[in-house]
Structures are given as C-alpha cells and as structure tokens.
Amino acid sequence: MRLIGPSALICCLILIGCGSARPYPRETDDNHMFGPVSMRIHPTFTQVKSWSATHAPGKKFDGIEAVIELIDQFGDPTRASGRVTFELWTYREATPDRKGTRLASPWIAPLMTHPEQAAHWSSAVRGYSFQLAEPTISPDRRYVLTAQFDLKGGRLFDQIIIEPRSNDDPNARRPGRRSVRAPEESPSR
C-alpha cells in the first residue's frame, strides 16, 4: 500500500504538468470575436534606432525598430499568425502621397510558428517588434514606413511618417499616420 501512494501521486503530478502545456483550440466564434480587425504601426515605439554595441556621440544608426499592434473588435491588442511585409520610402513634401523612392528591399517577417511568435512578441508593448536593418538610415530625415499583415482571411495595412528627432529633445517626434483596411476580396488572390 505504501508503494501505490507515492506512485499514484507522481503519476498525477506528471499528468497535471503535461496538461498545462497545450492550449485549448479556438472555436470559430472565438476567431470571429477576438481576431484582428485592424493594425497600426505604433507611433511612439517605431523609430530610427541603434541596436549595436556602439553608444558614443555620432554613433551610426542601424535601422528602424518597428512595432505593430493588431487590434480586435474591442480595441484590445491581440495576436495572429501570418506574414508582415515592411517597406521604407523617402518622404515627399507637399504631395497627397508622401511616399517617394523605396529605399530598401521589403523586409518580410513570418509569424507562423511558435518560435517566430516568441521572437517578435513584446509583452511590454502588447505588440510585435522588428529590427529593420538599413545602414543608410539617418535620424535627421523623414521616412514613410508601410506595413502589410497577410492573414489567412485577408490583409491589414498601415503606414507612418517617421519624423526626424529634434535637436533639443532626442525623443521628440510628431507621429503622422494613415491606416487602411484592405477589402475582403482582392484581385491578387
């Protein structure tokens, strides 16, 4: 009787530990209720950055740290699987379309697997963070950054104008953005 007691306790602990690792599958109603309905490039956290070890005055900037949020119908951040495509453009003054010349090849970031999700999700900002390397970036110029999130059921778009940093306040920026949701049926599908 003494051998059965500890063995049964160990089996129960193993079963409890194994059961907590797998998520419950979402029902169709859950997907409709909590799926993303819009995306935004976060205007505060998306900026020209240096993520290398050099922190001296006159340092070289490495690119743009872009943070995107997927928003559900309740206005809350949510996660989703899909693929994000970023494009960086020069900024054009006094035109309706501010996008000038594309500066780099598009950055494509898949978010289809658990490791990809874990690599980009930031609990602190409740969004996905990406380091978009661009060696010619300057914190003194304006840029237009666009993002497209391809989901199984459609696409979400956003763009933001990345403002130059002020000489007085290195963190000061005026965010400018325009958000667009793609039609459910697009000719490219």
Side-chain angles (χ1 to χ4, degrees), residues 42-79:
H42 200 286
T44 302
F45 298 122
T46 299
Q47 56 188 302
V48 175
K49 273 251 174 122
S50 176
W51 49 80
S52 61
T54 61
H55 296 291
K59 66 183 173 184
K60 178 182 172 287
F61 288 84
D62 298 312
I64 293 175
E65 181 174 9
V67 175
I68 64 165
E69 292 177 317
L70 300 175
I71 309 297
D72 67 15
Q73 67 178 333
F74 300 104
D76 295 324
T78 188
R79 291 187 189 211

Coordinates of all heavy atoms in Angstrom, one line a residue, residues 42-79:
H42 N 3.0 51.3 -34.4 CA 2.9 52.1 -33.1 C 3.7 53.4 -33.3 O 4.9 53.4 -33.6 CB 3.5 51.3 -31.9 CG 3.1 51.9 -30.6 ND1 3.6 53.0 -30.1 CD2 2.2 51.4 -29.8 CE1 3.0 53.3 -29.0 NE2 2.1 52.3 -28.7
P43 N 3.1 54.6 -33.2 CA 3.8 55.8 -33.4 C 4.9 56.2 -32.4 O 5.7 57.0 -32.7 CB 2.6 56.8 -33.4 CG 1.6 56.2 -32.6 CD 1.7 54.7 -32.8
T44 N 4.8 55.7 -31.2 CA 5.8 56.1 -30.2 C 7.0 55.2 -30.3 O 8.2 55.6 -30.2 CB 5.2 56.0 -28.8 OG1 4.1 56.9 -28.8 CG2 6.2 56.4 -27.7
F45 N 6.8 53.9 -30.4 CA 7.9 52.9 -30.3 C 8.6 52.7 -31.6 O 9.7 52.1 -31.6 CB 7.4 51.6 -29.7 CG 6.8 51.7 -28.3 CD1 5.5 51.4 -28.0 CD2 7.6 52.2 -27.3 CE1 5.0 51.5 -26.7 CE2 7.1 52.4 -26.0 CZ 5.8 52.0 -25.7
T46 N 8.0 53.0 -32.7 CA 8.6 52.8 -34.0 C 9.5 54.0 -34.3 O 9.0 55.2 -34.4 CB 7.6 52.7 -35.1 OG1 6.8 51.5 -34.8 CG2 8.2 52.5 -36.5
Q47 N 10.8 53.8 -34.4 CA 11.8 54.9 -34.6 C 13.1 54.4 -35.1 O 13.4 53.2 -35.1 CB 11.9 55.7 -33.3 CG 12.4 54.8 -32.1 CD 12.4 55.6 -30.8 OE1 13.0 56.6 -30.7 NE2 11.6 55.1 -29.9
V48 N 13.9 55.4 -35.6 CA 15.2 55.1 -36.0 C 16.0 54.7 -34.8 O 15.9 55.4 -33.8 CB 15.9 56.3 -36.7 CG1 17.3 56.1 -37.0 CG2 15.1 56.7 -38.0
K49 N 16.8 53.6 -34.9 CA 17.5 53.1 -33.7 C 18.8 52.6 -34.0 O 19.2 52.2 -35.1 CB 16.6 51.9 -33.1 CG 15.6 52.3 -32.1 CD 16.0 51.9 -30.8 CE 15.1 52.3 -29.7 NZ 14.5 51.3 -28.9
S50 N 19.6 52.5 -32.9 CA 20.9 51.8 -33.0 C 20.8 50.7 -32.0 O 20.7 50.9 -30.8 CB 22.0 52.8 -32.6 OG 23.3 52.1 -32.5
W51 N 20.9 49.5 -32.4 CA 20.9 48.3 -31.5 C 22.2 47.6 -31.4 O 22.3 46.6 -30.8 CB 19.8 47.3 -31.9 CG 19.7 46.9 -33.4 CD1 20.5 46.0 -34.0 CD2 18.9 47.4 -34.4 NE1 20.2 45.9 -35.3 CE2 19.2 46.8 -35.6 CE3 17.8 48.3 -34.4 CZ2 18.5 47.0 -36.7 CZ3 17.2 48.6 -35.5 CH2 17.5 47.9 -36.7
S52 N 23.2 48.2 -32.1 CA 24.6 47.6 -31.9 C 25.2 48.1 -30.6 O 24.6 48.9 -29.9 CB 25.5 48.0 -33.1 OG 25.6 49.4 -33.2
A53 N 26.4 47.7 -30.3 CA 27.0 48.0 -29.1 C 27.6 49.4 -29.0 O 27.9 49.9 -27.9 CB 28.2 47.0 -28.8
T54 N 27.7 50.1 -30.1 CA 28.2 51.5 -30.0 C 27.2 52.5 -29.5 O 26.1 52.6 -30.0 CB 28.7 51.9 -31.4 OG1 27.6 51.9 -32.3 CG2 29.8 51.0 -32.0
H55 N 27.6 53.2 -28.5 CA 26.7 54.2 -27.9 C 27.4 55.5 -27.7 O 27.1 56.4 -26.9 CB 26.2 53.7 -26.5 CG 25.4 52.5 -26.6 ND1 24.1 52.5 -27.1 CD2 25.6 51.2 -26.2 CE1 23.6 51.3 -27.1 NE2 24.5 50.5 -26.6
A56 N 28.5 55.8 -28.6 CA 29.2 57.0 -28.5 C 28.5 58.1 -29.2 O 27.7 57.9 -30.1 CB 30.6 56.8 -29.1
P57 N 28.8 59.4 -28.9 CA 28.3 60.5 -29.7 C 28.6 60.3 -31.2 O 29.7 59.9 -31.5 CB 28.9 61.8 -29.1 CG 29.4 61.3 -27.8 CD 29.7 59.9 -27.9
G58 N 27.7 60.7 -32.1 CA 27.9 60.5 -33.5 C 27.8 59.1 -33.9 O 28.3 58.7 -35.0
K59 N 27.2 58.2 -33.1 CA 27.0 56.8 -33.4 C 26.3 56.6 -34.7 O 25.5 57.4 -35.1 CB 26.4 56.1 -32.3 CG 24.9 56.5 -32.1 CD 24.3 55.8 -30.9 CE 22.9 56.4 -30.6 NZ 22.3 55.9 -29.4
K60 N 26.5 55.5 -35.3 CA 25.8 55.0 -36.5 C 24.5 54.4 -36.1 O 24.5 53.6 -35.2 CB 26.7 54.1 -37.3 CG 26.2 53.5 -38.5 CD 27.1 52.5 -39.2 CE 26.5 51.8 -40.3 NZ 25.5 50.8 -39.9
F61 N 23.5 54.7 -36.8 CA 22.2 54.1 -36.6 C 22.0 52.9 -37.5 O 22.5 52.9 -38.6 CB 21.0 55.1 -36.8 CG 21.0 56.2 -35.7 CD1 21.8 57.3 -35.8 CD2 20.1 56.0 -34.7 CE1 21.7 58.2 -34.8 CE2 20.1 56.9 -33.6 CZ 20.9 58.1 -33.7
D62 N 21.4 51.8 -36.9 CA 21.4 50.6 -37.6 C 20.1 50.4 -38.5 O 20.1 49.6 -39.4 CB 21.4 49.4 -36.6 CG 22.7 49.4 -35.8 OD1 23.8 49.5 -36.4 OD2 22.7 49.3 -34.6
G63 N 19.1 51.1 -38.2 CA 17.8 50.9 -38.9 C 16.7 51.4 -38.1 O 16.8 52.3 -37.3
I64 N 15.5 50.8 -38.4 CA 14.3 51.2 -37.7 C 13.8 50.0 -36.9 O 13.7 48.9 -37.3 CB 13.2 51.5 -38.8 CG1 13.7 52.8 -39.5 CG2 11.8 51.7 -38.1 CD1 12.8 53.2 -40.6
E65 N 13.5 50.3 -35.6 CA 12.7 49.4 -34.8 C 11.3 49.6 -35.0 O 10.8 50.7 -34.7 CB 13.1 49.5 -33.3 CG 12.3 48.4 -32.5 CD 12.8 48.4 -31.0 OE1 13.5 49.3 -30.6 OE2 12.3 47.5 -30.4
A66 N 10.6 48.7 -35.6 CA 9.1 48.9 -35.9 C 8.3 48.0 -35.0 O 8.6 46.8 -34.8 CB 8.9 48.4 -37.4
V67 N 7.3 48.6 -34.4 CA 6.4 47.9 -33.5 C 5.0 48.0 -34.1 O 4.5 49.1 -34.4 CB 6.4 48.5 -32.1 CG1 5.3 47.8 -31.2 CG2 7.8 48.3 -31.5
I68 N 4.4 46.8 -34.3 CA 3.0 46.8 -34.9 C 2.1 46.2 -33.8 O 2.5 45.3 -33.1 CB 2.9 46.0 -36.2 CG1 3.2 44.6 -36.1 CG2 3.7 46.7 -37.3 CD1 2.7 43.7 -37.2
E69 N 0.9 46.7 -33.8 CA -0.2 46.2 -32.9 C -1.3 45.7 -33.8 O -1.7 46.4 -34.7 CB -0.7 47.3 -32.0 CG 0.2 47.8 -31.0 CD -0.4 48.9 -30.2 OE1 -1.1 49.8 -30.8 OE2 -0.3 48.9 -29.0
L70 N -1.8 44.5 -33.5 CA -3.0 44.0 -34.1 C -4.2 44.2 -33.1 O -4.0 43.9 -31.9 CB -2.9 42.5 -34.4 CG -1.8 42.2 -35.4 CD1 -1.6 40.7 -35.6 CD2 -2.0 42.9 -36.8
I71 N -5.3 44.8 -33.6 CA -6.3 45.2 -32.7 C -7.6 44.4 -33.0 O -8.0 44.3 -34.2 CB -6.6 46.7 -32.8 CG1 -5.4 47.6 -32.7 CG2 -7.7 47.2 -31.8 CD1 -4.6 47.5 -31.4
D72 N -8.3 43.9 -31.9 CA -9.5 43.2 -32.1 C -10.7 44.1 -32.1 O -10.5 45.4 -32.0 CB -9.7 42.0 -31.1 CG -9.9 42.5 -29.7 OD1 -10.2 43.7 -29.5 OD2 -9.7 41.7 -28.8
Q73 N -11.9 43.6 -32.3 CA -13.1 44.5 -32.4 C -13.4 45.2 -31.1 O -14.2 46.2 -31.1 CB -14.3 43.7 -32.8 CG -14.8 42.7 -31.8 CD -16.0 41.9 -32.3 OE1 -16.8 42.5 -33.1 NE2 -16.2 40.7 -31.8
F74 N -12.8 44.8 -30.0 CA -13.0 45.5 -28.7 C -12.0 46.6 -28.5 O -12.0 47.3 -27.5 CB -12.9 44.5 -27.5 CG -14.0 43.5 -27.6 CD1 -13.6 42.2 -28.0 CD2 -15.3 43.7 -27.4 CE1 -14.6 41.2 -28.1 CE2 -16.3 42.8 -27.5 CZ -15.9 41.5 -27.8
G75 N -11.0 46.8 -29.4 CA -10.0 47.8 -29.3 C -8.8 47.3 -28.5 O -8.0 48.1 -28.1
D76 N -8.7 46.0 -28.3 CA -7.6 45.5 -27.5 C -6.6 44.8 -28.4 O -6.9 44.3 -29.4 CB -8.1 44.4 -26.5 CG -9.1 45.0 -25.5 OD1 -8.8 46.1 -25.0 OD2 -10.0 44.3 -25.1
P77 N -5.3 44.8 -27.9 CA -4.2 44.2 -28.7 C -4.5 42.7 -28.7 O -5.0 42.1 -27.7 CB -3.0 44.5 -28.0 CG -3.3 45.6 -27.1 CD -4.7 45.6 -26.8
T78 N -4.2 42.0 -29.8 CA -4.3 40.6 -30.0 C -3.2 40.0 -30.8 O -2.4 40.8 -31.4 CB -5.7 40.2 -30.6 OG1 -5.9 38.8 -30.6 CG2 -5.8 40.7 -32.1
R79 N -3.0 38.8 -30.8 CA -2.0 38.1 -31.6 C -2.7 37.4 -32.8 O -3.9 37.2 -32.8 CB -1.3 37.0 -30.8 CG -0.4 37.5 -29.7 CD 0.3 36.3 -29.2 NE 1.1 36.7 -28.0 CZ 2.2 36.2 -27.6 NH1 2.7 35.2 -28.3 NH2 2.8 36.5 -26.5

